[in-house]
Amino acid sequence: MNLTKALLTLMTLTSLTACTTIPDASNHAGLLVIQEQGSFAVGGKVVSTPGTYDNNHPTAAGQTLHGDHLYAFYQVPQNSRPLPIVMLHGAYQSARSWETTSDGREGFQTIFLRRGFPVYLVDQPRRGRAGNSTVEAKIEPTPFDQLFFDQFRLGKWPSYFDNVQFDRKPETLDQFFRSVTPNTGPYDAGVISNAMAALFDRTGPGILFSHSQAGGPGWLAAIKSQNVKGIVALEPGSGFIFPEGELPPAMPSAAGALSPESVSLAEFKKLTRIPIVIYYGDNFPTEPTTERGQDNWRVRLAMAKRWVDAINKHGGDAQLVHLPEIGIRGNTHFLMSDLNNVQIADLVSRFLAEKHLD
Amino acid sequence: MNLTKALLTLMTLTSLTACTTIPDASNHAGLLVIQEQGSFAVGGKVVSTPGTYDNNHPTAAGQTLHGDHLYAFYQVPQNSRPLPIVMLHGAYQSARSWETTSDGREGFQTIFLRRGFPVYLVDQPRRGRAGNSTVEAKIEPTPFDQLFFDQFRLGKWPSYFDNVQFDRKPETLDQFFRSVTPNTGPYDAGVISNAMAALFDRTGPGILFSHSQAGGPGWLAAIKSQNVKGIVALEPGSGFIFPEGELPPAMPSAAGALSPESVSLAEFKKLTRIPIVIYYGDNFPTEPTTERGQDNWRVRLAMAKRWVDAINKHGGDAQLVHLPEIGIRGNTHFLMSDLNNVQIADLVSRFLAEKHLD
């Protein structure tokens, strides 16, 4: 009897401490058990300069340059789920977007590792550690902090929105601003989506999380690779593609006009094979306004609704969740690192479960 | 009896799979148990543009820019050793240098995690994910592959050295070339060492691993921060600092002259408080030669020997290990990712143990 009890106790302990992720209410203190981690480059091209290389008096002649690849860092937890998640950052950002939040909590990288997914974080071609570009660029230190504060919907500089899901300590804002990193070559959605398709060739079937500007290259990657089995798009901001002849009109805003982009119907229909969910946060104006930072998002939300309708009209499975409509308030443009990012991750987990992607 | 046997089996299983690092001879397949991981920016400055910010018609006026910080990704293993290791990459590189090797094996990041050290990987200011520079830069795609092949001592392009510790598969060389990433602002050892000192303020006492160009900023960081408790310098390539009035002459080579740099005696003497080891690999010429890639290192090795002598003359504890002299052959400039990188890590571990840094 005692032995049975000991056995049962031990079995309980084993199931608690065996090398799987140990759940923790705070989503922070549990141990993380990694089966494998590492990094690599994928995609890109090689540019050659004509001539003969002289080892001892080297010039460009006869030399090559490897560029336009992406960089990925991956971690596979023990007893992982079958489909990895690939996370692609937005404009002015790197894989840093998905790591520790500006106020020091775990971001989506570690949250979804804890939930058993292999996680791949990408620095897109011509950004971050994938900085080698085949096309030149000039980097001018551009003071954009206040514009970002407005455009990423922390508030209207220098005031935060009353309900903002962003920690107000000065050091948090400092970290937020320091997550910005420039393009090292011209932004090119084709180059990025080519590299992303090459990444999915390597990972096999997986799920794509995109943020902001990555929305567009994300759709293109799913067109280019059948291994993209689902997309979670956080506040897509550009590259809304429609079938030729079905483009909605451009949408003017205080931040400029947002124009849809055109692809063939055959390409567009590839996006109808997979489940897609789009999330947008709070503090969107309902009517046109002169507030530039917010009005920028009014038209993106409106365009995304048209986009979801187009996907579904063609037999697809897309949905748009505007968080305030389900009672979740105060989210900035960075849903994955907002104060309620675990709640957002829960929504995403539910979507993945419903679509049998987990 | 059956129950006892089951209990014992279960206990064995538990001890095998309980959440500690499971040692593995190949240094690859064992599980990695992480207590905490994340990333942050540290150091840097804020540049302000005069004027008043207009939220709805933003220009540079009245805006700020956060730049010149470094980016760090860290992992703390379970039951970690007391001193973390901070790894700083060299020229044209990022933290990628310390991750997976070009041929897909574990690099120093994961090897030293497995050995129980908290590991911090840095992208230095104006590189990689720390790309926001306060000074402008032009990025021109520069075909340097063949020059790197020579200068990083893989061989004399297109031939590998006979004994080279580098895998010869074409895809390995492709990964190697794609680890290159450009400066996004002017290289500045002062800016880098300031940020490194700020990082050591945050980590507390720790050990610095530097590679190549990072040698110089590494010495400066140790002068600026008393938290640098030891330095492991892999093939330092620039920034050899000597006390004023004690500079050796510049050393000409087929790759140009290598000049020592001057610091005050008081600053220099701060480097005599900590143990320092320098490692250089193989295929160094013993006499001046016209082979540019190799001759570059002949003078660096010679200058490093002078530097070690100067440190020790002033009461310090520095040593230089030229690997072929202890029978270790074929190492390239990238000791931490060469085919024998576990052997190199073993040497480093032995040094850390001897100096009570583990």
Side-chain angles (χ1 to χ4, degrees), chain A residues 3-4 6-7 10-11 14 17-20 22 28-46 49 53 55-60 62-69 71 73 75 78 94-96 99-100 109-110 113-114 121 123 128-147 150 156-157 174-175 177-178 180-182 184 202 254 290-293, chain B residues 3-4 6-7 10-11 14 17-19 28-46 49 53 55-60 62-69 71 73-75 78 94-96 99-100 109-110 113-114 121 123 128-148 150 156-157 174-175 177-178 180-182 184 202 254 290-293:
Chain A
L3 204 53
T4 310
L7 181 58
L10 195 55
M11 286 176 77
T14 306
T17 60
C19 290
T20 52
I22 298 170
H28 189 76
L31 295 169
L32 200 58
V33 184
I34 303 293
Q35 186 179 302
E36 189 187 343
Q37 68 177 21
S39 65
F40 55 85
V42 69
K45 60 183 183 176
V46 181
T49 311
Y53 174 64
N55 303 71
N56 295 336
H57 301 91
T59 64
Q63 292 207 64
T64 56
L65 166 77
H66 286 63
D68 293 353
H69 47 268
Y71 159 92
F73 177 75
Q75 292 179 294
Q78 194 189 27
S94 67
R96 170 84 187 82
E99 296 174 349
T100 305
Q109 174 189 40
T110 303
L113 273 171
R114 290 196 186 285
L121 294 193
D123 283 356
R129 294 174 182 170
N132 243 16
S133 166
T134 63
V135 182
E136 73 175 19
K138 189 167 181 189
I139 296 182
E140 293 178 278
T142 309
F144 265 166
D145 290 344
Q146 285 66 26
L147 183 152
D150 290 343
K156 182 175 179 182
W157 179 267
D174 183 84
Q175 286 292 315
F177 287 145
R178 293 187 189 284
V180 170
T181 200
T184 57
R202 174 161 172 163
T290 53
E291 300 298 340
R292 184 188 177 284
Chain B
L3 202 54
T4 310
L7 182 58
L10 195 57
M11 287 176 76
T14 307
T17 60
C19 292
H28 188 76
L31 294 169
L32 200 57
V33 184
I34 304 292
Q35 186 179 302
E36 191 187 342
Q37 67 177 21
S39 65
F40 55 85
V42 69
K45 60 181 182 177
V46 181
T49 311
Y53 175 62
N55 303 71
N56 295 336
H57 301 92
T59 63
Q63 292 206 64
T64 56
L65 166 78
H66 285 63
D68 294 353
H69 47 268
Y71 159 91
F73 177 75
Y74 69 95
Q75 292 179 295
Q78 193 188 26
S94 67
R96 171 84 186 82
E99 296 174 348
T100 305
Q109 175 189 39
T110 303
L113 273 171
R114 289 196 186 287
L121 294 193
D123 283 357
R129 294 176 182 168
N132 244 16
S133 166
T134 64
V135 183
E136 72 174 20
K138 189 169 182 191
I139 296 182
E140 293 178 278
T142 309
F144 265 165
D145 289 344
Q146 285 66 27
L147 183 151
F148 288 148
D150 290 343
K156 182 175 179 181
W157 178 267
D174 183 84
Q175 285 292 316
F177 286 146
R178 293 187 189 283
V180 170
T181 199
T184 57
R202 174 161 171 161
T290 54
E291 301 296 342
R292 185 187 177 283

Side-chain angles (χ1 to χ4, degrees), chain A residues 21 209 223 245 253 340 357:
Chain A
T21 303
F209 285 17
I223 288 172
S253 83
N340 62 343
L357 294 170

Side-chain angles (χ1 to χ4, degrees), chain B residues 81-276:
Chain B
R81 296 174 193 264
L83 296 183
I85 297 172
V86 176
M87 302 185 182
L88 180 61
H89 59 78
Y92 297 102
Q93 293 281 309
S94 67
R96 171 84 186 82
S97 289
W98 308 98
E99 296 174 348
T100 305
T101 64
S102 294
D103 59 334
R105 293 169 299 108
E106 290 184 349
F108 269 24
Q109 175 189 39
T110 303
I111 290 174
F112 281 92
L113 273 171
R114 289 196 186 287
R115 296 181 181 191
F117 293 92
V119 173
Y120 288 71
L121 294 193
V122 171
D123 283 357
Q124 74 187 21
R126 307 177 182 174
R127 192 82 59 80
R129 294 176 182 168
N132 244 16
S133 166
T134 64
V135 183
E136 72 174 20
K138 189 169 182 191
I139 296 182
E140 293 178 278
T142 309
F144 265 165
D145 289 344
Q146 285 66 27
L147 183 151
F148 288 148
F149 187 95
D150 290 343
Q151 186 143 328
F152 297 151
R153 299 197 325 281
L154 277 58
K156 182 175 179 181
W157 178 267
S159 303
Y160 288 96
F161 290 130
D162 283 343
N163 66 2
V164 73
Q165 295 277 4
F166 190 89
D167 173 76
R168 299 185 191 205
K169 286 194 294 293
E171 54 268 35
T172 298
L173 190 58
D174 183 84
Q175 285 292 316
F176 180 77
F177 286 146
R178 293 187 189 283
S179 71
V180 170
T181 199
N183 281 323
T184 57
Y187 175 80
D188 187 322
V191 167
I192 296 166
S193 53
N194 284 343
M196 288 294 288
L199 174 57
F200 275 94
D201 281 348
R202 174 161 171 161
T203 62
I207 306 154
L208 172 62
F209 284 18
S210 67
H211 179 230
S212 192
Q213 189 183 55
W219 319 135
L220 297 178
I223 288 171
K224 292 174 181 177
S225 173
Q226 293 211 21
N227 279 339
V228 179
K229 295 303 184 192
I231 298 180
V232 174
L234 305 181
E235 298 225 341
S238 68
F240 292 97
I241 49 177
F242 291 82
E244 284 159 8
E246 299 182 31
L247 273 66
M251 299 182 177
S253 83
L258 175 65
S259 295
E261 297 172 24
S262 164
V263 292
S264 71
L265 180 60
E267 287 175 312
F268 186 81
K269 288 195 72 132
K270 292 187 178 177
L271 294 173
T272 64
R273 298 176 311 206
I274 56 171
I276 297 174

